[in-house]
Amino acid sequence: MSALRPPVVPEPRRHGEDPADCDECRSRDEGIWLNDRWRLARIPGVGVPLVLMLYPRDHYDMADLPDELAAELGVLTAHIVRHVQALANICRAHVYRIGDGSAHLHVWFFARPEGQTQLYGSWLPVWDDLLPEYPADVADADATTVTEALTASYGGTAQTPTGQ
């Protein structure tokens, strides 16, 4: 067992607490899919087949997300999950919101490969850090499939992934 370190109070500020210093705000027009209020990006250098991240294009965190955007987040999340799980050899799309590192809302989507039962559950992001890097060209092709399906089912515009 490891002992917990003493509490740090007040806690350090998260990245982007000031929207003027927020990388996600500066990247509001970048991603593999965009609509007027949301953007989706592929996270490179991962070990699982596909990791995507959804951001509001404007500076919000979960607690201050307007109700209209919160409702959209739920519907958009369901669409993304459906399309990730429709990929060949993918069994589940895990969805995570952590929020300790950045003040700009970001929702993670991890694709769990079919048959890889060792990767079940909340340990998938830990396994992702331990696995060798998944081929970028395969992840780009899968991301294109997801964004084309998302554009057809939800709207927005698919962008060409480039091994982000």
Side-chain angles (χ1 to χ4, degrees):
M1 282 198 157
S2 295
L4 288 176
R5 288 177 250 158
V8 176
V9 179
E11 289 192 8
R13 290 173 54 90
R14 297 176 298 166
H15 172 76
E17 290 284 355
D18 179 353
D21 297 326
C22 179
D23 290 338
E24 287 79 21
C25 286
R26 284 191 287 277
S27 302
R28 72 181 317 273
D29 297 326
E30 298 172 14
I32 60 173
W33 176 90
L34 302 166
N35 75 6
D36 290 341
R37 299 196 264 206
W38 298 95
R39 72 183 185 95
L40 186 67
R42 184 177 82 73
I43 305 302
V46 298
V48 298
L50 186 63
V51 177
L52 303 174
M53 193 172 296
L54 180 66
Y55 308 86
R57 291 179 75 185
D58 292 331
H59 193 82
Y60 294 108
D61 200 353
M62 185 68 83
D64 61 358
L65 196 63
D67 288 348
E68 184 177 341
L69 283 178
E72 284 182 11
L73 175 60
V75 174
L76 188 50
T77 295
H79 280 255
I80 294 167
V81 166
R82 285 180 201 131
H83 302 315
V84 170
Q85 288 182 182
L87 293 169
N89 302 314
I90 299 302
C91 187
R92 298 278 180 269
H94 292 214
V95 181
Y96 301 91
R97 186 276 179 170
I98 303 186
D100 284 332
S102 174
H104 194 119
L105 175 63
H106 53 291
V107 178
W108 297 83
F109 297 82
F110 281 76
R112 184 180 64 75
E114 185 173 23
Q116 294 295 323
T117 59
Q118 190 173 5
L119 307 181
Y120 271 11
S122 60
W123 285 93
L124 184 59
V126 176
W127 275 108
D128 176 64
D129 287 341
L130 301 173
L131 294 169
E133 187 173 334
Y134 198 80
D137 60 330
V138 178
D140 280 342
D142 284 345
T144 296
T145 299
V146 169
T147 59
E148 288 174 352
L150 183 59
T151 300
S153 71
Y154 192 83
T157 305
Q159 310 290 318
T160 303
T162 55
Q164 301 178 25

